[in-house]
Amino acid sequence: MSPSVVLVPGAPVLVPELSGSAVADTGGGVDTICEVLRRARIGAARVVVLGSDPGGRGLGDMRSTLARWGVDVPVGRPDAPPAPHGAVPDAALIGWWLLDRAGTDLPRSFRGIPVSPRSAPTPEPDDLVVVVADGPASLTPRAPVPEDPRGVSLDGHLGRWLRTGGVLPDPGARVADEVGWWSRPAWLALASLVAGRPARESLSWAPFGVGYHCAWWPPESPTDLAVEGAVRDPHARDAIVPGEPS
């Protein structure tokens, strides 16, 4: 049995207390992400959050805050022990915040994915795996990295990969760094987890020139996996915000 897998973006601007007036551009996406997380957690015993982290750090069930970004918003389960200051990677903080926002009280842990991981993640069948990863940060003149057509093209291919499956589009580490695709290690881990399957649901948008994506791969039995390549789920659907890269 494969676990339930959800892809979520990892941008601090998703948090209303950090985004100010930009909440108008992020609120609808956050609501959709939380709805997906609520459906995905059904039947799960715990949550494993994966995200890019150069140090490959791992954390158990802990709580922290978003104070590093200027607002002391608590994240994590209230009864979990506090994490040492600075010990929680950014991807874990945003992943935990989204889980809190979705009302998920399952025990959680974090595994950081370095640039060259020594092994692929091996979750349990009753895990909910939440992969925190963004697309390229070079999609528009407003983006953190100067607009780059390679980033625009890559983000479109990533959105299509979520909907159609197959081999993850990967331009390699050098181009990824040049176009601001800093979440590449987490995307590669995601591709290993879903093994070419298309997501049942996906959402792609880019309000600030950075590709944000959310997708869900429900659990599947060995029998389901055997027929996946021949018959696509007729209930599969995707939601793309008009006017934004998909």
Side-chain angles (χ1 to χ4, degrees):
M1 188 77 174
S2 67
S4 185
V5 179
V6 176
L7 168 68
V8 301
V13 74
L14 298 173
V15 181
E17 292 87 345
L18 301 176
S19 61
S21 61
V23 70
D25 297 308
T26 60
V30 170
D31 290 344
T32 298
I33 293 167
C34 291
E35 291 172 6
V36 170
L37 287 171
R38 292 183 192 109
R39 289 195 294 276
R41 74 188 180 199
I42 296 173
R46 68 196 69 82
V47 184
V48 179
V49 178
L50 304 179
S52 298
D53 180 53
R57 289 171 287 182
L59 294 172
D61 196 3
M62 309 184 85
R63 57 184 167 87
S64 186
T65 79
L66 305 184
R68 71 181 55 165
W69 292 302
V71 180
D72 194 24
V73 176
V75 297
R77 301 199 306 154
D79 58 347
H85 180 70
V88 184
D90 292 353
L93 290 175
I94 299 303
W96 289 350
W97 179 80
L98 286 167
L99 290 167
D100 294 343
R101 187 88 170 183
T104 300
D105 192 41
L106 293 171
R108 60 189 69 166
S109 62
F110 174 80
R111 176 175 174 181
I113 309 297
V115 173
S116 299
R118 294 182 179 180
S119 60
T122 54
E124 297 295 328
D126 57 351
D127 287 343
L128 165 58
V129 181
V130 176
V131 180
V132 181
D134 293 328
S138 55
L139 306 185
T140 70
R142 299 176 63 188
V145 175
E147 184 176 4
D148 192 315
R150 297 173 299 172
V152 175
S153 176
L154 173 60
D155 198 62
H157 285 302
L158 290 172
R160 283 188 285 278
W161 176 77
L162 295 174
R163 302 191 299 275
T164 62
V167 178
L168 177 75
D170 177 19
R174 180 183 62 82
V175 172
D177 187 62
E178 291 173 353
V179 303
W181 193 33
W182 301 301
S183 297
R184 175 177 176 263
W187 280 91
L188 293 173
L190 171 65
S192 175
L193 285 169
V194 302
R197 291 184 289 139
R200 175 171 292 181
E201 304 178 28
S202 67
L203 165 71
S204 298
W205 81 113
F208 310 113
V210 180
Y212 297 158
H213 302 273
C214 174
W216 176 35
W217 292 261
E220 289 195 311
S221 67
T223 301
D224 295 330
L225 293 172
V227 302
E228 181 69 34
V231 181
R232 182 174 177 179
D233 186 343
H235 301 294
R237 61 187 179 92
D238 54 73
I240 306 300
V241 177
E244 299 292 354
S246 60

